[in-house]
Amino acid sequence: MGLQPLEFSDCYLDSPWFRERIRAHEAELERTNKFIKELIKDGKNLIAATKSLSAAQRKFAHSLRDFKFEFIGDAETDDERCIDASLREFSNFLKNLEEQREIMALSVTETLIKPLEKFRKEQLGAVKEEKKKFDKETEKNYSLIDKHLNLSAKKKDSHLQEADIQVEQNRQHFYELSLEYVCKLQEIQERKKFEFVEPMLSFFQGMFTFYHQGHELAKDFNHYKMELQINIQNTRNRFEGTRSEVEELMNKIRQNPKDHKRASQFTAEGYLYVQEKRPPPFGSSWVKHYCMYRKAAKKFNIIPFEHRSGGKLGDGEVFFLKECTRRHTDSIDRRFCFDVEAADRPGVSLTMQAFSEEERKQWLEALGGKEALFPSFNRAIIPRPEGGAQLDKMGFTILRKCISAVETRDVKTCNEVDLENSIDWEVKTITSALKQYLRSLPEPLMTYELHGDFIVPAKSGSPESRVNAVHFLVHKLPEKNKEMLDILVKHLTNVSNHSKQNLMTVANLGVVFGPTLMRPQEETVAAIMDLKFQNIVVEILIENHEKIFRTLPDATLPEPVTLSASPPNAPPRQSKRQGQRTKRPVAVYNLCLELEDGDRPNLPKEDTPPSSLDSFSSPSPTAAAAHGPPGPDRNHLLADGGTSGDWTSTA
């Protein structure tokens, strides 16, 4: 299992598990930094110490063999697997050269040392600086909140308002910095796959020139080198598309974070300070807890967690809510407080403090308290705008006419193509119009329902099993969807057959049409990381068009594994929002020379003995005011080209 994606929406929740995922990314980058530093040292030894060349090669080969790239998500593409294996292949070549002692006159400084030093300094070094700022702002933010929450409610209103404004401004600054840091962490994890491997490829190519048997070795290496270059380019293209998509999602969340809260299995969750009673004369103390509440079961989980204690989770408690009461400022010397009474802990009442008045009102609403004024924590479903493109007779006419106009380009110039009414259309405009139509459909052509099922075979299995799975799923599509997909894929197959002229290979067409034919309902970093697997599905459709669309699936083969329903607050790679995805504005896309722009940790045990809550318990000052029980409850793939192909040239 690879590194878990870092969701931008989690920056605002800042849960303990989000911090764990950040530390995992940081540890991986530190490991990469140390490895590259060692590799640069080894490279310099190869230049300076010809007498110890064999020993240096063995050390260098050993380092390459043992290093393995980590990936974001739950599976690698074939390209990423090849790139990961490339270091071991390089190691094997070094072993073959170990016996050769001839003097090498390699100019590896420009091709190897400088790029690695630049990558380490500009990329990994920049992450270190961002980490320092992030850690500093984390400390500053929570220290200021602690200080703010310790203010007496009896202070002047003007003083309290000024303090509230200061805390809110600081929190917003912290969220901004957190978003940028999360974006940078994930970007560098993807960037290293090509910016680190490419210098190695150049280094090995140079070695062959200066060795006595370099020519023969280069011939043996040539086929693998060509495949690796394609793998690297494919990975680079996917990185560019993923980066633009991630940045777009980050900006959306930055502008309106409340509208991008992820679906959760909890009615409410977040940090609260819980008052712990101490025996006289020690009084009481306030301890920060991460709290989670399920309204349907009235189950309340609280877990002590303090960032400054190294981020270790304390022993949590579970109880069932009886009632929740707002705490008035004249009864306690703290603001934003409320009391909760446990149904399964007779006489146990906990006093809790929210971070702000707004958050207290949200908790009261979720817990069924008196001030149920604010909407639920869970994100509301955003209705999809009505109207727009449809899978109707007109849509099929648009598709066929656009394809016909594109495929006649071999006998006409762009200025000679007549689409309708003798109007001259640029072929790029026609292809963009087709793409706009497909993107404007209420849901993608391959449907939201089957999106996850199509992704599964692209992540694993043999080539034959992938084709069989996609074959089966295509025939589960609604008839109109399958018919239109057939027409389009047949055209793309024709385009790919002329890739030597138009440079639009099957891989390039997958990059272009993956985000158009397949889109997830929920916009998350995890979904963006699956873009590369969407491309693979489209490649399978193009390469196996006749079999998939002209024959029925083999009934003797087992049905492909599909995604099981995941809990609403499952890890990002398995999450599946139940609501509708807000339709993004449709732009005109150029399809010619430009390509388009783990599980949540275990909760506290349910069999917590009653005495475990004794340190929290206190008589409820508002016990007489009992409440009734609460009721039941793409996309731009590449902004500016990355593949110099032309979709329109089919002859």
Side-chain angles (χ1 to χ4, degrees):
M1 187 66 68
L3 296 172
Q4 292 192 15
L6 301 174
E7 299 294 346
F8 293 122
S9 57
D10 286 346
C11 293
Y12 295 87
L13 198 58
D14 197 23
S15 69
W17 303 279
F18 175 64
R19 289 287 179 151
E20 287 291 336
R21 292 195 289 271
I22 286 182
R23 280 192 289 274
H25 279 256
E26 290 171 345
E28 167 58 19
L29 291 182
E30 180 59 27
R31 189 170 71 95
T32 301
N33 180 55
K34 291 179 179 179
F35 170 73
I36 292 177
K37 182 179 179 180
E38 185 69 16
L39 200 61
I40 291 173
K41 177 183 177 181
D42 294 341
K44 291 180 178 179
N45 286 340
L46 287 175
I47 300 171
T50 56
K51 291 183 179 180
S52 59
L53 179 58
S54 180
Q57 284 178 329
R58 284 194 296 268
K59 174 64 171 64
F60 197 64
H62 182 78
S63 298
L64 291 175
R65 184 194 64 198
D66 290 348
F67 184 76
K68 177 176 175 59
F69 286 119
E70 284 291 357
F71 57 92
I72 297 177
D74 55 6
E76 292 176 290
T77 64
D78 293 338
D79 291 318
E80 290 171 333
R81 278 190 285 269
C82 184
I83 289 174
D84 186 39
S86 65
L87 298 184
R88 292 183 288 278
E89 291 293 329
F90 294 149
S91 175
N92 291 333
F93 277 108
L94 277 178
K95 291 176 182 177
N96 293 332
L97 292 172
E98 185 177 345
E99 299 300 325
Q100 303 180 39
R101 303 267 185 187
E102 296 184 17
I103 299 176
M104 290 193 307
L106 290 174
S107 302
V108 299
T109 301
E110 295 296 326
T111 60
L112 177 67
I113 304 300
K114 286 187 178 179
L116 291 182
E117 288 177 336
K118 180 180 179 182
F119 177 78
R120 183 167 172 265
K121 179 180 179 181
E122 295 182 1
Q123 301 299 330
L124 298 178
V127 171
K128 282 190 174 183
E129 292 302 316
E130 291 292 330
K131 173 177 167 46
K132 291 179 182 178
K133 291 197 299 184
F134 179 72
D135 291 341
K136 181 179 179 181
E137 286 300 321
T138 298
E139 173 66 23
K140 178 181 176 182
N141 179 60
Y142 287 104
S143 295
L144 188 58
I145 289 176
D146 289 345
K147 180 180 177 181
H148 174 63
L149 295 177
N150 279 315
L151 284 176
S152 172
K154 298 177 182 179
K155 293 279 188 179
K156 292 183 179 179
D157 288 344
S158 59
H159 182 77
L160 294 176
Q161 290 174 2
E162 181 179 355
D164 289 348
I165 293 172
Q166 182 183 3
V167 168
E168 184 60 27
Q169 289 175 343
N170 189 74
R171 289 178 73 183
Q172 290 303 318
H173 176 69
F174 171 70
Y175 293 151
E176 288 281 332
L177 189 66
S178 180
L179 286 170
E180 294 173 1
Y181 182 55
V182 164
C183 185
K184 186 66 176 177
L185 279 176
Q186 299 189 119
E187 176 182 326
I188 195 64
Q189 295 285 13
E190 294 294 300
R191 184 184 290 275
K192 68 182 181 183
K193 294 179 183 177
F194 54 84
E195 288 201 359
F196 171 63
V197 178
E198 280 185 321
M200 296 302 308
L201 185 61
S202 300
F203 166 72
F204 276 83
Q205 185 61 37
M207 284 183 62
F208 299 137
T209 306
F210 293 96
Y211 275 87
H212 178 66
Q213 296 181 350
H215 179 66
E216 291 299 322
L217 289 172
K219 285 172 58 179
D220 295 339
F221 184 70
N222 189 63
H223 177 71
Y224 179 80
K225 182 194 71 173
M226 296 299 295
E227 288 187 348
L228 182 57
Q229 286 175 331
I230 294 173
N231 298 139
I232 292 172
Q233 185 60 47
N234 290 343
T235 305
R236 181 188 291 275
N237 292 348
R238 289 164 183 156
F239 163 77
E240 294 292 345
T242 300
R243 181 175 63 175
S244 63
E245 192 75 8
V246 167
E247 289 176 351
E248 182 179 348
L249 177 59
M250 180 182 69
N251 290 331
K252 285 183 178 180
I253 293 179
R254 174 185 287 148
Q255 293 169 7
N256 203 344
K258 292 183 179 179
D259 285 349
H260 287 81
K261 288 182 178 178
R262 302 176 62 208
S264 173
Q265 61 180 309
F266 300 106
T267 310
E269 63 177 315
Y271 286 103
L272 291 170
Y273 279 80
V274 180
Q275 186 181 35
E276 291 188 356
K277 294 292 184 181
R278 303 284 180 84
F282 299 105
S284 62
S285 63
W286 293 83
V287 180
K288 186 166 64 176
H289 287 68
Y290 195 81
C291 301
M292 298 160 286
Y293 176 67
R294 289 188 182 92
K295 186 173 184 178
K298 294 186 179 181
K299 184 187 290 185
F300 211 115
N301 300 75
I302 59 175
I303 304 174
F305 182 81
E306 177 56 59
H307 295 87
R308 289 172 296 188
S309 65
K312 295 182 179 179
L313 292 173
D315 295 330
E317 309 290 347
V318 178
F319 62 89
F320 291 90
L321 180 70
K322 179 180 180 182
E323 64 179 9
C324 170
T325 309
R326 179 181 180 274
R327 202 56 191 266
H328 294 283
T329 54
D330 57 358
S331 65
I332 192 170
D333 192 31
R334 283 207 172 201
R335 299 186 298 157
F336 320 137
C337 292
F338 58 92
D339 294 327
V340 295
E341 189 172 345
D344 54 336
R345 305 286 194 270
V348 172
S349 177
L350 306 182
T351 299
M352 299 182 173
Q353 182 181 27
F355 283 7
S356 65
E357 180 61 29
E358 179 182 1
E359 291 186 15
R360 175 169 68 171
K361 290 179 179 179
Q362 291 175 338
W363 277 103
L364 287 173
E365 189 276 337
L367 300 175
K370 289 183 177 180
E371 296 188 13
L373 303 178
F374 277 64
S376 172
F377 270 43
N378 288 335
R379 180 182 175 187
I381 295 176
I382 302 175
R384 178 173 296 279
E386 297 182 357
Q390 299 293 330
L391 281 175
D392 52 14
K393 182 177 180 180
M394 181 176 295
F396 278 89
T397 301
I398 292 172
L399 181 75
R400 290 189 172 98
K401 286 199 171 188
C402 287
I403 290 176
S404 176
V406 170
E407 293 190 345
T408 56
R409 187 171 184 253
D410 60 316
V411 295
K412 296 182 181 181
T413 66
C414 288
N415 292 330
E416 293 173 333
V417 173
D418 295 330
L419 180 62
E420 198 172 40
N421 298 329
S422 301
I423 298 177
D424 292 331
W425 293 80
E426 285 281 354
V427 175
K428 292 182 181 181
T429 305
I430 297 171
T431 58
S432 297
L434 173 58
K435 200 69 178 303
Q436 179 178 345
Y437 164 74
L438 293 171
R439 293 289 295 170
S440 301
L441 292 172
E443 67 172 334
L445 204 56
M446 297 174 72
T447 73
Y448 290 130
E449 181 182 0
L450 294 177
H451 176 84
D453 297 338
F454 273 111
I455 291 293
V456 170
K459 291 183 175 181
S460 61
S462 65
E464 183 180 1
S465 66
R466 293 181 183 182
V467 174
N468 290 335
V470 172
H471 189 187
F472 176 84
L473 293 169
V474 164
H475 286 264
K476 290 183 67 175
L477 290 170
E479 196 58 37
K480 286 186 177 180
N481 295 60
K482 185 174 68 173
E483 181 183 354
M484 182 169 286
L485 185 63
D486 180 11
I487 297 170
L488 178 62
V489 174
K490 180 180 179 181
H491 168 62
L492 298 182
T493 304
N494 187 25
V495 172
S496 67
N497 290 336
H498 298 83
S499 60
K500 290 185 177 179
Q501 291 79 32
N502 58 35
L503 302 183
M504 290 306 293
T505 63
V506 173
N508 290 344
L509 290 170
V511 169
V512 172
F513 279 91
T516 299
L517 299 178
M518 299 178 67
R519 298 193 306 274
Q521 279 187 287
E522 181 183 12
E523 289 185 280
T524 65
V525 173
I528 293 172
M529 291 303 169
D530 276 346
L531 284 175
K532 53 195 175 186
F533 298 108
Q534 296 176 188
N535 304 344
I536 292 174
V537 173
V538 175
E539 291 176 25
I540 292 172
L541 292 174
I542 296 173
E543 291 175 336
N544 302 274
H545 172 261
E546 287 297 317
K547 174 180 179 179
I548 291 174
F549 291 95
R550 299 293 176 263
T551 66
L552 293 175
D554 190 344
T556 63
L557 295 175
E559 292 188 8
V561 177
T562 57
L563 290 179
S564 59
S566 300
N569 206 27
R573 64 181 56 130
Q574 297 157 346
S575 65
K576 204 170 187 181
R577 187 181 297 278
Q578 300 299 320
Q580 294 291 328
R581 178 175 184 249
T582 305
K583 185 168 70 175
R584 64 174 75 248
V586 177
V588 176
Y589 294 90
N590 182 353
L591 299 184
C592 299
L593 295 178
E594 297 180 13
L595 297 180
E596 267 196 319
D597 261 352
D599 290 335
R600 180 177 285 272
N602 293 330
L603 295 176
K605 296 181 179 179
E606 305 264 344
D607 56 354
T608 305
S611 60
S612 61
L613 285 175
D614 288 347
S615 62
F616 295 109
S617 62
S618 60
S620 173
T622 55
H627 299 288
D633 291 287
R634 110 160 148 176
N635 302 314
H636 332 300
L637 205 59
L638 270 88
D640 291 305
T643 307
S644 57
D646 191 338
W647 174 41
T648 62
S649 298
T650 60

